[in-house]
Amino acid sequence: MREAATMAILPRFQKLAANEVEEKTPGEVVTAADRDAEQLINPRLAKLLAGSRAVGEEAAAANPALMDRLDEGRVWLVDPLDGTSNFVAGLPTFSVMVALLENGQTLASWLLEPVSGRLCIAVRGEGAFIDGVRTWAPTMSLSAPDCRGSVLTRFLPDDLKQQVAARSHMVAEVRPGAKCAGVDYPSIIEGTQDFLMFWRLLPWDHAAGALLVREAGGHVAHLDASEYKPSDRRPGLLVGSNRDVWENVKAALSP
């Protein structure tokens, strides 16, 4: 991940040529940095574990069938450049994320912020770490009026978007988010945000961060309170710094 950041991403940061950026889908861009980073990371990960395979965001965009059978065997999920729109805009809020799945369960995850060099790591059953230091999410039970967090509204269905807007006064603050899950998820365990709400759940966007928050003691679940798994593409996810915060925010914004 660090080598991909050094070789493919950082040399282009704030120096992207026009021909290195293109629209992948309406409103979403991809850059040469995304593609080159993925091409560096994926083959090396696949060689680390016999029989494993790497599924990257850009390869899956070209061949969606790669997302089939994520709950079978060992799979590396790779987001080579999360927060691409920020990267294109010259903002430092972007990340490289990798998660290792085994039979659909996330075993370990890594979230690297190339500009600062900060690395978050989570290992199932062994905890969450930021730059090598064991980290826990805040345990204080906050009522909804004391909670601050982000709702990623871009993909919310209109009825839920209107509901959240109408009920946003029931929490202390609703923010738009960093437009980078690799930055937003660590903010929960750092205590700078109490909750996150997402709708679209592409596995490489959430597997790494969800494990990080869970291993730090936070709570991650679908809006219907069911368990989140990377292979489950049902939309709607709420993340809280702890179970009480999750339940209080859920009741306030989406009862």
Side-chain angles (χ1 to χ4, degrees):
M1 292 168 72
R2 291 193 187 278
E3 187 171 348
T6 300
M7 295 179 63
I9 298 173
L10 290 175
R12 293 183 170 106
F13 181 46
Q14 299 179 337
K15 299 176 183 177
L16 277 169
N19 64 357
E20 292 182 311
V21 184
E22 63 183 78
E23 192 173 57
K24 181 166 59 175
T25 60
E28 288 191 86
V29 294
V30 63
T31 73
D34 296 72
R35 291 176 172 143
D36 288 354
E38 185 169 306
Q39 289 173 6
L40 282 168
I41 294 170
N42 284 20
R44 298 184 187 190
L45 289 178
K47 291 179 181 178
L48 288 178
L49 291 172
S52 68
R53 62 189 180 101
V55 176
E57 177 179 7
E58 305 315 323
N63 180 12
L66 291 174
M67 288 197 291
D68 296 340
R69 300 182 295 107
L70 290 183
D71 56 355
E72 298 178 15
R74 287 184 168 180
V75 180
W76 300 94
L77 287 175
V78 179
D79 193 335
L81 181 51
D82 182 50
T84 300
S85 63
N86 293 337
F87 180 74
V88 171
L91 301 175
T93 43
F94 55 89
S95 177
V96 182
M97 296 191 291
V98 172
L100 174 61
L101 312 184
E102 184 172 57
N103 298 327
Q105 296 288 337
T106 311
L107 295 184
S109 66
W110 299 260
L111 301 86
L112 173 67
E113 294 178 37
V115 173
S116 68
R118 184 176 74 164
L119 179 64
C120 300
I121 297 176
V123 180
R124 188 178 183 87
E126 297 184 21
F129 304 81
I130 298 180
D131 289 333
V133 178
R134 180 76 181 268
T135 307
W136 288 266
T139 58
M140 183 179 296
S141 177
L142 300 175
S143 62
D146 294 320
C147 291
R148 293 171 168 80
S150 295
V151 177
L152 287 299
T153 60
R154 180 180 174 194
F155 298 103
L156 286 183
D158 288 341
D159 57 344
L160 182 55
K161 188 182 298 186
Q162 292 168 8
Q163 178 177 277
V164 169
R167 300 178 67 88
S168 61
H169 67 280
M170 299 184 71
V171 298
E173 184 182 6
V174 174
R175 303 167 181 171
K179 296 182 180 179
C180 176
V183 171
D184 275 325
Y185 273 104
S187 73
I188 296 294
I189 63 177
E190 292 176 313
T192 56
Q193 296 198 94
D194 305 306
F195 68 90
L196 303 168
M197 184 185 289
F198 302 96
W199 186 253
R200 188 178 71 166
L201 301 184
L202 298 175
W204 43 79
D205 284 336
H206 299 283
L211 182 67
L212 181 75
V213 169
R214 283 173 172 167
E215 286 297 320
H219 190 66
V220 182
H222 285 283
L223 295 177
D224 64 2
S226 61
E227 180 184 0
Y228 165 72
K229 294 181 180 179
S231 60
D232 186 347
R233 300 181 200 174
R234 287 177 301 142
L237 193 71
L238 183 61
V239 180
S241 55
N242 54 63
R243 182 66 177 262
D244 286 345
V245 166
W246 190 98
E247 292 180 345
N248 292 338
V249 171
K250 172 67 169 62
L253 293 183
S254 181

